[in-house]
Amino acid sequence: NDAKWAERASRAKFAIKKWADCNEWNFQNKLLLLEAEEAFCYNDIDSAKSLYEKALSSAREHRFIHEEALTHELAGHFFLEIEMKDTAVEHFMQAHEKYHSWGAVAKSNALFEFVQQVLGTMSSLDASPLPNFSSSTDGHEDDGVKNARKRTSEWSADTWDKSL
């Protein structure tokens, strides 16, 4: 139900805004990204573009490479949706590189596969292909990914609601 999700989003945004007011360093980029996604949902294209850029600048300034990666990825989906495919590819490439730099090789490779499937025939992608970073062979990374998925699946929307 849309009203339920809108209320949940409103409460989450209110909480993150309070946190950002108290600790801009840690929460500013998160608030900006949430606002970009909200603008995207409401089809406010110009605001969304501006907010994604501000979120990227904040994540970069505060050295949150993983959140810079996430912001690039979400901006890539946004630009793909509004049919700015070259810009989408640029953001996906940046996300791919940032995820890899952060050590999230499995995520980096999953994004690589997504881009190849969805955008693989584009000339800009063919001119600047994404490198497919291979996972470590010692098995630790795969166990880490499995554990992260398990922990993530245990965190439900109801748990999130209770935390607000």
Side-chain angles (χ1 to χ4, degrees):
N1 147 346
D2 287 343
K4 176 183 173 183
W5 288 108
E7 173 60 26
R8 186 176 280 172
S10 177
R11 286 193 325 240
K13 183 177 170 185
F14 179 76
I16 293 174
K17 179 155 182 27
K18 284 191 335 187
W19 300 335
D21 288 344
C22 293
N23 188 339
E24 183 178 292
W25 184 273
N26 284 324
F27 293 101
Q28 180 186 51
N29 69 300
K30 296 165 185 66
L31 178 62
L32 290 166
L33 180 56
L34 183 60
E35 289 175 341
E37 289 286 290
E38 180 180 44
F40 179 21
C41 287
Y42 289 114
N43 207 30
D44 185 352
I45 304 304
D46 291 334
S47 291
K49 286 180 185 178
S50 173
L51 288 162
Y52 282 118
E53 286 306 313
K54 288 177 182 177
L56 281 168
S57 292
S58 178
R60 190 176 307 114
E61 177 186 348
H62 298 128
R63 297 184 298 272
F64 292 127
I65 192 168
H66 60 296
E67 292 178 11
E68 192 177 349
L70 175 62
T71 303
H72 273 298
E73 181 180 5
L74 294 175
H77 287 289
F78 164 73
F79 284 107
L80 187 60
E81 182 70 23
I82 64 170
E83 298 183 7
M84 293 181 65
K85 292 181 181 176
D86 288 340
T87 304
V89 168
E90 290 173 25
H91 281 285
F92 286 133
M93 288 176 70
Q94 286 295 315
H96 177 70
E97 291 173 15
K98 297 294 180 183
Y99 280 130
H100 185 262
S101 295
W102 187 52
V105 176
K107 175 62 179 171
S108 181
N109 286 340
L111 187 58
F112 169 84
E113 294 299 325
F114 168 79
V115 171
Q116 290 296 322
Q117 290 174 1
V118 174
L119 301 169
T121 60
M122 291 181 52
S123 59
S124 63
L125 181 61
D126 294 338
S128 302
L130 295 173
N132 189 4
F133 301 110
S134 42
S135 299
S136 67
T137 56
D138 63 7
H140 289 92
E141 185 172 282
D142 292 333
D143 291 341
V145 170
K146 288 176 191 173
N147 290 336
R149 283 192 189 134
K150 181 180 179 207
R151 285 191 307 274
T152 302
S153 68
E154 292 168 355
W155 185 263
S156 69
D158 291 333
T159 305
W160 169 253
D161 283 344
K162 291 174 188 170
S163 72
L164 296 179

